[in-house]
Amino acid sequence: MSRPLAKSLLFTGALIALFLFVVEAASQAMFRVRHGQSPRAFAAGHLYRYEHRYRTDHPYLPYIARKGAYDILRFNSLGDRGPEPESPKRRIRLVCYGGSTTFDAAHSDEETWPGMLQAMLGTGRHEVINAAQNGATSADTLVNFALLHADLRPDFLLVLDGINDLESSYQTGFRSDYSHRRRKIPDFPFPFLDSLPRWLDRSALWVQFRFSLTGDQRDLHELYTIHGEFDFERGPFGLEAFRRNLLSLDAMAAAHGAKLVLGTPPFYRAKADKLQWALEAPGIPFGAPWQKGIDAENRVIRELARTRKNVRLAEVAGSFIPSERTMTDFCHLNADGNRKVAEAFYAALKRAGI
């Protein structure tokens, strides 16, 4: 290679490198303004399948947690929060089910309501297991107990379902197996991307390019949710399916020698009316129909507790007035709210003679 050609190629390479450097620097600044964080932080939160890397596939549930520790979350081999169930069983075993209000990724094990209930009951004679899953409906609880926890021979099933059922119940085209709202988690587009070195995530150009290919992979709920129209005028459509699921859970619990304790989920109407997406779409009357739906579900729960021999009632919704002191949004709870829930289940267990 001649010396002039070598100099020309070197000069061209330097220009390209300078150009990429300038573009990357500008992209970094624009990225931070737009997203409020570095490309690497954005990639960790948005580009890798399954939030926090702890969720994996399950053939009969939307997902299940992978055994291990992830920040404040730790999971056993069944996908439950906390340690492995004791074996052989020596204590009174209580398995808690529900959605995000019970799973509660915002708090440590001890600060969730199942964790607080464990503290109230003590560890000497009682073992409390948090088997909740984010986004779970009563249908998921039914499958979860039938296939994962019945073999644990629990003495009590504690259930706080309703919010996620209502999301399905208001959607048009309601199907009692919830298939109108649920789908199999789609295959990850361009799976080889996960095998590439993570140092690439420091580049704003790369992160933006990858995001354009895959979209947001952080929110698992979005991956397994089928979106449709809501009919707040005529809904909810799924109250009978909700009732059927709880009846089936009661029958299975009794068959396995467990009592069923149903909690009435609280609902903070004031927070619901201030949801950002509802404010941006003023034609969607979120608060009122959801209050109507929650009240209807709670009537179902109270009726079952009144008429079914094996069912007990934990009057959560009626035990405190939702406020800023207890709830972070329309359904999720802070530490004080979790304590109220734990107290309601504790009172129900005491009435059951535990």
Side-chain angles (χ1 to χ4, degrees):
M1 181 183 297
S2 65
R3 181 171 295 181
L5 179 58
K7 286 184 176 181
S8 178
L9 290 175
L10 183 62
F11 180 72
T12 302
L15 282 179
I16 292 173
L18 179 61
F19 173 76
L20 292 175
F21 176 80
V22 171
V23 171
E24 176 64 30
S27 298
Q28 287 277 346
M30 292 172 63
F31 194 97
R32 289 175 182 273
V33 169
R34 181 179 180 183
H35 298 288
Q37 57 186 160
S38 69
R40 189 178 187 184
F42 179 89
H46 293 264
L47 294 184
Y48 292 97
R49 193 182 187 198
Y50 305 135
E51 188 173 85
H52 302 304
R53 303 297 292 166
Y54 67 74
R55 294 168 172 170
T56 188
D57 291 323
H58 186 277
Y60 301 109
L61 290 165
Y63 65 88
I64 191 171
R66 182 183 292 110
K67 182 179 180 180
Y70 309 83
D71 298 325
I72 65 171
L73 304 176
R74 54 178 180 151
F75 300 100
N76 62 28
S77 58
L78 293 174
D80 307 325
R81 289 197 64 176
E84 293 291 328
E86 66 177 7
S87 182
K89 175 187 170 188
R90 297 186 180 89
R91 295 175 289 173
I92 296 172
R93 178 169 285 161
L94 306 94
V95 179
C96 302
Y97 291 109
S100 55
T101 56
T102 302
F103 178 86
D104 199 353
H107 292 97
S108 65
D109 292 347
E110 295 74 21
E111 293 174 315
T112 64
W113 72 256
M116 291 183 176
L117 179 64
Q118 177 75 82
M120 293 174 185
L121 293 169
T123 58
R125 296 181 57 244
H126 303 92
E127 179 188 33
V128 180
I129 297 172
N130 187 346
Q133 292 179 314
N134 281 333
T137 66
S138 59
D140 298 313
T141 293
L142 195 61
V143 174
N144 208 327
F145 175 65
L147 300 183
L148 290 175
H149 295 95
D151 293 339
L152 294 182
R153 297 184 294 112
D155 300 283
F156 290 88
L157 305 185
L158 280 52
V159 179
L160 191 64
D161 277 327
I163 291 290
N164 295 313
D165 285 84
L166 200 57
E167 187 180 68
S168 295
S169 194
Y170 270 121
Q171 189 164 312
T172 57
F174 178 85
R175 296 178 183 175
S176 61
D177 64 355
Y178 293 53
S179 60
H180 67 295
R181 184 74 179 170
R182 288 285 180 83
R183 64 180 175 182
K184 181 183 181 297
I185 297 172
D187 292 333
F188 181 69
F190 309 106
F192 72 91
L193 292 174
D194 265 358
S195 64
L196 295 176
R198 292 293 183 90
W199 56 259
L200 287 169
D201 295 339
R202 297 179 183 275
S203 166
L205 288 173
W206 166 251
V207 170
Q208 195 61 52
F209 173 71
R210 176 166 175 170
F211 187 72
S212 69
L213 289 178
T214 66
D216 197 331
Q217 296 294 313
R218 173 189 59 177
D219 192 342
L220 191 66
H221 184 265
E222 290 298 311
L223 293 178
Y224 66 68
T225 296
I226 300 172
H227 291 286
E229 297 294 323
F230 289 103
D231 189 341
F232 292 126
E233 290 279 336
R234 295 183 298 159
F237 306 104
L239 290 177
E240 281 307 308
F242 178 67
R243 186 177 189 276
R244 176 208 63 197
N245 291 342
L246 295 182
L247 280 171
S248 297
L249 187 62
D250 173 34
M252 278 201 303
H256 289 277
K259 289 183 170 59
L260 179 62
V261 184
L262 299 178
T264 50
F267 182 73
Y268 191 6
R269 168 73 182 274
K271 283 282 190 180
D273 288 334
K274 294 179 181 178
L275 283 174
Q276 186 60 40
W277 64 264
L279 293 175
E280 293 170 356
I284 300 178
F286 186 87
W290 274 62
Q291 184 71 69
K292 179 184 75 171
I294 288 292
D295 290 344
E297 287 182 336
N298 283 341
R299 284 194 294 271
V300 170
I301 290 169
R302 292 174 183 127
E303 183 260 329
L304 292 178
R306 187 175 62 253
T307 59
R308 304 289 294 183
K309 182 179 179 181
N310 194 54
V311 180
R312 304 291 187 273
L313 177 67
E315 187 54 85
V316 177
S319 65
F320 67 98
I321 298 174
S323 69
E324 299 282 347
R325 293 184 59 235
T326 53
M327 302 188 72
T328 59
D329 58 28
F330 66 96
C331 68
H332 296 101
L333 303 131
N334 58 24
D336 287 338
N338 282 338
R339 189 169 293 105
K340 295 288 186 183
V341 176
E343 289 170 352
F345 275 99
Y346 180 82
L349 291 167
K350 286 301 179 182
R351 289 194 297 270
I354 194 170

